Amino acid sequence: MWGFALLPLDKDFDVPLRNTLRLWDHCGSKQKPSEIGFIMGIEFEKQDSNIISIFLELCSFDDLIGFKSSVEEECHDIDEASLWLFCGLGQLTSLQTLNLFVLSEGPVGSSKHCGGLAELNKLNDLRGKLVIKNLARLKDATPEFKAANLKEKQRLSELILKWNSEGDDENSMDSLRPHESLKSLKVEGYMGVRVSSWLSFLTNLVDLYIYDCKKCQYLPSLYQLPSLRELYIRDMDGLEYMTDGDMNDEISASLASPSTFFPSLRTLWLMDCHNLKGWWRSVDKGNEATTTSTISSSSSSSTNHYHQHMPYFPRLASFYFRDCPKMTCMPLFPNLEQLQWGNSSLKALEETIEMNNTGGRASSFPSSSSSSSFSPPLSKLKQLYLTLDLESLPEEWFKNLTSLERLQIFSCPNLTSLPERMSHLTSLQTLSISYCPQLKQRCEKENGEDWDKISHIPNLHIL
């Protein structure tokens, strides 16, 4: 029986010899502890409930399957491709720490198959972090994924599922449902068109990362997750809508029960989703269903109607929005403290800036501040990073930026001037302008046409 790699053999490392010998005898090894070339560790619970470490040897990496050190900085000489997890791990029912579980290549029952997910079935005392790699290697995945029995591992706090962008089994994720106590989930390389609906029921989830899922077209509804603080979505080529739901359904739910629309979300990443069109697939327009991506092309009166009632994130502080050029409809974000905006549709930014210009919009969501205490949109913003294909920055964008301390303008080759309101940004401490050739010339000290707009800023970095 084998555990997980912890650290290389250190002659000064104090290991109780009796524990080492006991495990060697149990494994049937005839080698002496002095011949150990690499230490592997298992956290094992004795009958007296005291946690001790049992150590064992790996002598030949050629016969091992897909296994990696949990302390990478101390194991640089270990090639992941040459390491394998042995069968029998499932017998260690008191095992508490298993940082990495890598699936082998062979089909179940073959000589090459070892360390299948069934080994995890009874390891319900696992806690902390668990990474499961090479999930795409299982062609008939559902039975073995069920055998992993993740839903019974209530002490796991972080789960990372990696498919490596292979296969197309969308049902497999349904069978990997973890326990509701999970706090962090990362999904990488999943090739189904949908992410399983059980995401909506992880009520203790704090961090959710979904990336490199090329075929995924939409996600389940996430707005009601009470503990979700960070949402990371990246490299999703097939993603067209963040949710398959209706915008009005989420509005109605939030009106019926305050503090239910992303009540805890603080950080949002939307990056490299080139086909992402909108947050919701449809908006109930009387008896007519309309995709949110068509709202921006509707008449101005129709557009104003929907944007007056657009949901917004009540506590979102940081938003990283990059390379999503088609995204035209999403919840607004008036309370940001940090914003990075690069090569993406400007529609949501413009609508957020205009929030308090239309009656009722500020108080449309009771989960946020009431209209009496409503702050102007983006008035809390302290850091702003822009990469845009514009010739000028609209004056309107800067009217409420009274708290802005840092502004970075990067790679805007067509930008020819700064807005007049720049001179009114009295809190601005740092301005960085990079790879903006026309703007660089206009901001030349003393002589540039825009110098008077920025001369009050203490820290200027113009490259």
Side-chain angles (χ1 to χ4, degrees), residues 172-333:
S172 62
M173 246 197 107
D174 292 340
S175 304
L176 286 170
R177 179 172 180 168
H179 192 274
E180 287 79 4
S181 62
L182 193 72
K183 295 186 180 299
S184 179
L185 175 66
K186 296 181 181 179
V187 178
E188 178 184 353
Y190 177 61
M191 297 302 285
V193 298
R194 65 178 180 87
V195 175
S196 295
S197 59
W198 50 251
L199 273 178
S200 301
F201 302 99
L202 299 180
T203 54
N204 291 287
L205 199 65
V206 175
D207 304 313
L208 175 59
Y209 304 81
I210 303 176
Y211 48 97
D212 197 26
C213 302
K214 303 297 186 183
K215 295 182 180 180
C216 181
Q217 297 178 5
Y218 57 88
L219 305 176
S221 182
L222 302 172
Y223 75 93
Q224 76 282 19
L225 294 178
S227 303
L228 188 63
R229 291 178 58 87
E230 181 167 4
L231 177 59
Y232 181 97
I233 308 294
R234 184 172 184 173
D235 292 323
M236 306 280 282
D237 292 346
L239 189 66
E240 296 184 352
Y241 301 96
M242 287 291 291
T243 174
D244 196 38
D246 187 286
M247 184 180 79
N248 283 345
D249 290 341
E250 297 191 3
I251 291 177
S252 299
S254 293
L255 290 173
S257 179
S259 301
T260 57
F261 187 80
F262 289 100
S264 301
L265 191 66
R266 297 285 296 172
T267 304
L268 174 63
W269 305 73
L270 293 178
M271 300 192 298
D272 302 303
C273 300
H274 300 99
N275 293 304
L276 184 60
K277 300 175 182 178
W279 197 273
W280 305 271
R281 182 176 289 272
S282 64
V283 175
D284 185 8
K285 191 177 179 180
N287 295 323
E288 177 185 356
T290 304
T291 61
T292 53
S293 60
T294 63
I295 290 179
S296 59
S297 60
S298 305
S299 65
S300 59
S301 60
S302 175
T303 301
N304 287 337
H305 168 75
Y306 287 111
H307 287 147
Q308 285 180 26
H309 301 284
M310 188 70 70
Y312 65 87
F313 301 105
R315 294 179 177 85
L316 190 66
S318 299
F319 183 22
Y320 305 89
F321 192 46
R322 191 184 75 195
D323 293 322
C324 300
K326 299 180 181 180
M327 182 74 155
T328 58
C329 183
M330 66 172 292
L332 308 182
F333 35 87

Side-chain angles (χ1 to χ4, degrees), residues 321-357:
F321 192 46
R322 191 184 75 195
D323 293 322
C324 300
K326 299 180 181 180
M327 182 74 155
T328 58
C329 183
M330 66 172 292
L332 308 182
F333 35 87
N335 300 316
L336 289 182
E337 297 177 9
Q338 178 173 325
L339 174 61
Q340 292 190 15
W341 200 283
N343 300 319
S344 299
S345 169
L346 295 170
K347 191 68 177 178
L349 177 58
E350 293 169 344
E351 289 300 320
T352 296
I353 292 170
E354 296 172 4
M355 280 182 68
N356 62 346
N357 292 339

